[in-house]
Amino acid sequence: MNRMRLLTVGVAALALAVGGGVVAGGMQDAPPQDAAPAADPVAEEIRRQLNQESAPAGDPAPENPVAIVPPSPTVETAAVEGDPAAATDEEAASEEDQEEGETDEEKAERLADETPTPRQRRRVAIVEAIDKITAESMRFEVEVGGRPVRFNQSLIFTARACEVAAENELVADSVAYLEVTLQPRGTVRAEPRQIFRGWMYASTPALSGLQHPIYDAWVVGCKE
């Protein structure tokens, strides 16, 4: 008798387990439901208290409106001694009179300091390039008028000139005239394609550098 009872209980437990698994599997296969914000009892209590509070009463409006008249501004027409604007105008007028009376030699001597001296040429251009896919970057040298340099088996750099700014220029800069050609190694039959030719300025690499979907390159400086 006990054996029959245990057998009956085991069969019932097995049936419940199978039924629960079927229900759980059916819930997982059902489409997802829309998310709803969770209840926040603290926020609801604060919101209820705020709604119960009454707004403070304001001051009653006056029966007759009060007219407000702004004061009229006072303008002083008297000349002020030591006015910087007047002094600047006088200095400019005196400089113009002085320029009219000076000779060509005096004018050339006066403007000598304002005329920039020629830039100094260098023999080697320093270039930095990066492969934006592999994040491989390298800083290398390209000889002006010398042998072209290949980067990452694809880019070929040729330097035509490299100059540094003069001492009396406002920005200490390095400028290089480069030609960049795209020709992957191993494709000898393919014609090389020039993707850049012009001046690169070290002070503004984002404006004057090479911008390519795969490669970026810019000049860093010049050296002897």
Side-chain angles (χ1 to χ4, degrees), residues 7-186:
L7 182 60
T8 304
V9 172
V11 171
L14 181 61
L16 290 175
V18 173
V22 172
V23 172
M27 293 178 63
Q28 291 178 357
D29 295 337
Q33 62 181 0
D34 295 334
D40 190 353
V42 177
E44 292 180 358
E45 181 64 22
I46 294 174
R47 193 180 301 107
R48 185 183 61 81
Q49 293 178 3
L50 291 176
N51 293 333
Q52 290 179 355
E53 295 179 358
S54 59
D59 298 334
E63 297 180 358
N64 298 323
V66 179
I68 300 176
V69 180
S72 59
T74 59
V75 180
E76 297 181 0
T77 58
V80 181
E81 296 182 359
D83 189 2
T88 304
D89 295 339
E90 293 178 358
E91 292 177 358
S94 61
E95 289 180 359
E96 291 179 357
D97 296 339
Q98 183 180 359
E99 291 179 359
E100 291 178 358
E102 66 182 357
T103 62
D104 294 340
E105 295 180 357
E106 293 175 351
K107 185 175 182 180
E109 184 178 356
R110 181 173 56 83
L111 297 177
D113 297 336
E114 301 177 1
T115 304
T117 57
R119 293 179 174 178
Q120 301 178 6
R121 298 225 168 194
R122 294 293 185 262
R123 188 177 56 87
V124 177
I126 305 175
V127 182
E128 187 167 351
I130 183 173
D131 186 336
K132 293 185 285 189
I133 296 179
T134 62
E136 177 184 357
S137 63
M138 181 183 300
R139 180 175 295 186
F140 51 91
E141 299 179 357
V142 183
E143 185 178 359
V144 176
R147 185 176 180 180
V149 178
R150 183 187 294 270
F151 168 75
N152 198 21
Q153 309 295 326
S154 298
L155 293 184
I156 301 175
F157 290 83
T158 304
R160 301 300 182 187
C162 195
E163 302 175 352
V164 294
E167 295 180 357
N168 59 349
E169 291 191 30
L170 298 179
V171 179
D173 202 357
S174 297
V175 186
Y177 191 90
L178 299 177
E179 296 179 357
V180 185
T181 305
L182 179 62
Q183 185 182 23
R185 184 185 295 274

